[in-house]
Amino acid sequence: MAQFHERLHLEQLDWPDEDRPHVRSQVETITEKNFEREKVLVDNRIFQKCRFEICVFVYSDGPFAFDECEIVDHTVFDPTGAARRTMRLHEVLKPGFGKGLPPY
C-alpha cells in the first residue's frame, strides 16, 4: 500500500486582527513536534515544522496556522462545533449554488 505524504502550509486562516494583541497572545505555538496516532486540537495553535502521521485534526472555529508541516499517511479531519455546523450547511446548500438561489 502506498503511503500518502504532503507538505502543508496554511497561513493565518481567519487570523485575529493585529490591533487585538490580547487575542494573539492566547495562541499557542508548537514547533518541531512529531504527532503520531493522536487527536490534534487545531484551534488557537500555530504549528511550525511539525509532522503528523495517522492523526485526527479536531477543529471547531478558532484561528490556526500550519508552517512547513508534513502530513503522512491516513491523517483525517474531524470538525466540531461551529466548523461542523458550517460544513453541514454547505452540504445542504451546495446543490443550489450557481443555480439561481434567491437573494437573502
Side-chain angles (χ1 to χ4, degrees), residues 5-18:
H5 187 99
E6 185 68 33
R7 301 290 276 161
L8 179 63
H9 185 79
L10 297 173
E11 282 190 37
Q12 304 176 355
L13 184 60
D14 194 28
W15 205 248
D17 297 331
E18 292 293 332

Side-chain angles (χ1 to χ4, degrees), residues 20-31:
R20 296 171 39 204
H22 65 284
V23 175
R24 188 173 289 278
S25 68
Q26 297 172 3
V27 175
E28 176 184 11
T29 300
I30 300 170
T31 305

